Amino acid sequence: MKTYPIELTVNGEKYSLEVEGRERLLEVVRSRLNITGPKEGCSTGDCGACTMVVNGKPVTSCLVLAVAVNGAEVTTVEGIGNAAKLDPVQKAFVEHGGIQCGICTPGFVVMTKAFLEENPHPTEEEIRFGLSGNLCRCTGYAKIVESVMAVAASDA
Amino acid sequence: MKPFEYHEPKSTAEAVGLLSKLGPSVKILAGGTDLIIQMEQRTCMPRHVVNVMRIPELQGVSGRSGTITIGAATSLREVETSPLLRDKAPVLCEAVSTIGSIQIRNLATVGGNLCNAAPSADAAPPLLILEARVRTVGPQGERDLPLKEFFKGPRQTALQADELLAAIEIPEPPCGFRGIYYKQSPRYAMDIAIVGVAVGVLRSNGKCDEARISLGAVAPIPLRVAEAEAILNGNSPEERLVNTAAEISRDAAKPISDVRASADYRRAMVETLVRRGLNTLLSN
Ligand SMILES: Cc1cc2nc3c(=O)[nH]c(=O)nc-3n(C[C@H](O)[C@H](O)[C@H](O)COP(=O)(O)OP(=O)(O)OC[C@H]3O[C@@H](n4cnc5c(N)ncnc54)[C@H](O)[C@@H]3O)c2cc1C
Ligand code: FES
Ligand code: FES
């Protein structure tokens, strides 16, 4: 099958690779680059577990062809913080119980980070609207909203 | 997903050239939020995919001499947050903000929403009451047609196989024009409309100079309801006329029953939402 050369900068690191037209950004980042923070929940844009920031904008990477974002700057949860050095958003999720099983968390953290950059002091309603593309089956959302409120408040 | 050949034209002329050359098994890719899912589910299996997202002419919102132009490949998020549209056509921003999530609206384009031609497309009713026109480009050159002639059926538009949608053009609404969009869906967020109603009115001296009513998700294509509008045009807004306009709108709806809602429920909601919209816009 025909392949196409692409370059991606993921979490600050440059990668050159050959992809088929049909390969989606999510599978390329997970399976080829072994960056497995982003999760595949639904593959239909509904759950937000695959959220990455691509050229400054949070998107559902399961609906993006890798070849179509040749040259892009990509950020996953790994680019935000790690166990040794948690980002304030990650810390707030841990402290306020915004994380339980954790499968939705990489998507929530990436989305929360992007959302707060645009709107650093949101109301609860704005948080619920901004994060409505991320599903969580464990927390019931209240603690996620609390976590996001806590980050926003600490940064006041 | 089936394999395909990928193309990335840099201009509309190049894109149209590719569409004519590659023939019937070619699909235009914009944000991909409809197409990637259809390809993944194999309800659509093109041999060639032409990505139009790197064509500068198709991007952005601009205003000139009374016309607002939205490039077909402009993201819904850009439409939602455009200062020009928020000022001149807030009903469109409001309606678009109900589509999917921020992540989806960063990918999805306004052209894709119209070209996918789902009866429930949320950009359609507000654009219909804004009297939008669409500009298409093909090997024979450009065509310009009213949006209401663009929709031909579910998933069917007036585009020829070798044409693409280039832009949506909105005549700047006169001052005094106000619009409202109601989306009825089982879930508040991340759900498609079971009824979409856009209502617009132009008022002066307590009279309704012009009313515009458009319905989504209740017929094979999004509709304008001219007969209901005519009841109100040029008249003082009385309760009786508002109620009649709402009833005519209800009768113009030809909804289906499905897992999301029954046809009767959809009809009843059309009447309720048209009445609510008119009352809201015509009071004070
Ligand atoms: C989770 C989720 C939630 C959603 N919620 C909603 C919702 O609430 N309301 C709603 O209305 N929609 C919703 N959608 C549908 C979708 O996001 C929109 O229809 C979107 O606007 C499509 O635009 P796109 O750029 O992604 O189109 P694509 O998927 O790239 O293309 C869609 C179709 O249009 C054609 N096309 C695209 N651009 C052009 C062009 N310039 N010229 C000619 N043909 C073209 C393509 O060939 C394809 O057939 C949702 C989708 C998802 C995944
Ligand atoms: S996997 Fe992408 S939104 Fe669910
Ligand atoms: S923590 Fe389990 S799905 Fe959100």
Side-chain angles (χ1 to χ4, degrees):
Chain A
M1 198 55 232
K2 192 161 176 185
T3 60
Y4 306 85
I6 64 164
E7 281 195 2
L8 294 174
T9 305
V10 185
N11 303 326
E13 208 146 316
K14 226 176 180 155
Y15 300 88
S16 301
L17 57 170
E18 289 277 330
V19 295
E20 274 188 46
R22 62 178 167 168
E23 285 182 78
R24 293 166 307 148
L25 181 61
L26 176 62
E27 55 198 73
V28 166
V29 167
R30 281 181 54 84
S31 308
R32 303 258 230 126
L33 308 183
N34 276 318
I35 299 171
T36 55
K39 301 290 181 253
E40 178 162 20
C42 63
S43 262
T44 50
D46 291 289
C47 77
C50 66
T51 302
M52 297 181 194
V53 172
V54 176
N55 293 328
K57 304 208 154 67
V59 299
T60 44
S61 63
C62 64
L63 299 182
V64 175
L65 297 181
V67 67
V69 293
N70 182 14
E73 298 260 354
V74 177
T75 306
T76 68
V77 70
E78 287 89 343
I80 290 175
N82 55 45
K85 192 172 179 302
L86 289 182
D87 182 86
V89 171
Q90 294 171 307
K91 209 177 261 168
F93 271 67
V94 173
E95 281 169 8
H96 294 266
I99 174 170
Q100 285 187 28
C101 82
I103 186 113
C104 69
T105 313
F108 265 104
V109 168
V110 172
M111 189 57 209
T112 300
K113 197 79 188 146
F115 172 72
L116 288 176
E117 243 154 63
E118 235 176 70
N119 184 356
H121 300 293
T123 62
E124 177 178 342
E125 198 186 341
E126 286 168 345
I127 293 172
R128 286 184 181 271
F129 177 77
L131 300 185
S132 63
N134 294 74
L135 297 184
C136 174
R137 300 290 285 171
C138 299
T139 64
Y141 302 102
K143 294 198 177 276
I144 289 179
V145 174
E146 261 172 51
S147 310
V148 180
M149 299 278 260
V151 191
S154 68
D155 166 72
Chain B
M1 206 182 305
K2 287 258 191 189
F4 54 82
E5 256 185 69
Y6 175 79
H7 307 268
E8 201 172 87
K10 298 287 183 293
S11 68
T12 41
E14 193 189 334
V16 167
L18 281 167
L19 295 178
S20 327
K21 191 180 87 187
L22 300 171
S25 185
V26 54
K27 211 62 193 154
I28 292 176
L29 171 73
T33 60
D34 285 313
L35 186 63
I36 300 291
I37 294 174
Q38 291 160 12
M39 285 170 43
E40 194 65 26
Q41 294 170 345
R42 304 200 173 193
T43 53
C44 177
M45 293 181 280
R47 267 202 298 253
H48 297 273
V49 167
V50 174
N51 177 8
V52 295
M53 295 306 282
R54 308 250 182 182
I55 302 177
E57 302 107 273
L58 299 187
Q59 292 289 339
V61 181
S62 61
R64 192 147 50 95
S65 47
T67 302
I68 304 167
T69 303
I70 310 176
T74 307
S75 77
L76 294 177
R77 185 69 177 157
E78 186 172 343
V79 169
E80 174 189 5
T81 55
S82 151
L84 179 65
L85 288 169
R86 288 205 159 189
D87 182 35
K88 303 288 185 195
V91 64
L92 178 61
C93 306
E94 222 176 87
V96 159
S97 77
T98 70
I99 297 178
S101 58
I102 293 178
Q103 293 99 308
I104 295 295
R105 297 197 293 284
N106 274 330
L107 293 171
T109 65
V110 62
N113 196 244
L114 301 179
C115 293
N116 191 57
S120 60
D122 285 301
L127 285 169
L128 284 170
I129 64 160
L130 290 164
E131 315 247 83
R133 302 181 68 82
V134 294
R135 183 149 49 78
T136 69
V137 185
Q140 264 77 52
E142 294 196 352
R143 290 197 292 149
D144 162 84
L145 61 160
L147 179 61
K148 62 171 189 259
E149 291 169 22
F150 184 71
F151 300 112
K152 295 295 182 198
R155 317 241 162 236
Q156 285 172 312
T157 68
L159 286 175
Q160 305 291 321
D162 52 5
E163 276 184 316
L164 59 81
L165 178 64
I168 294 107
E169 295 184 336
I170 304 172
E172 202 175 287
C175 52
F177 178 84
R178 288 209 300 141
I180 203 164
Y181 181 67
Y182 295 116
K183 172 177 179 172
Q184 186 78 13
S185 60
R187 266 193 95 216
Y188 160 73
M190 294 288 282
D191 205 352
I192 60 169
I194 53 177
V195 176
V197 169
V199 178
V201 299
L202 182 61
R203 290 175 69 187
S204 63
N205 308 321
K207 283 222 305 228
C208 173
D209 293 336
E210 205 184 324
R212 300 176 192 166
I213 299 168
S214 169
L215 313 178
V218 293
I221 59 171
L223 305 173
R224 271 285 288 271
V225 197
E227 316 85 84
E229 298 171 0
I231 300 283
L232 297 155
N233 289 347
N235 288 319
S236 307
E238 290 165 30
E239 196 185 338
R240 182 177 53 85
L241 297 181
V242 166
N243 289 342
T244 308
E247 284 160 18
I248 295 175
S249 303
R250 176 200 62 206
D251 295 340
K254 301 279 176 274
I256 54 165
S257 288
D258 65 11
V259 51
R260 316 176 72 77
S262 70
D264 283 345
Y265 178 75
R266 290 177 204 249
R267 266 191 295 268
M269 283 315 296
V270 167
E271 181 179 348
T272 302
L273 296 176
V274 169
R275 191 182 335 107
R276 186 179 300 165
L278 288 169
N279 283 334
T280 304
L281 295 173
L282 291 169
S283 66
N284 67 67

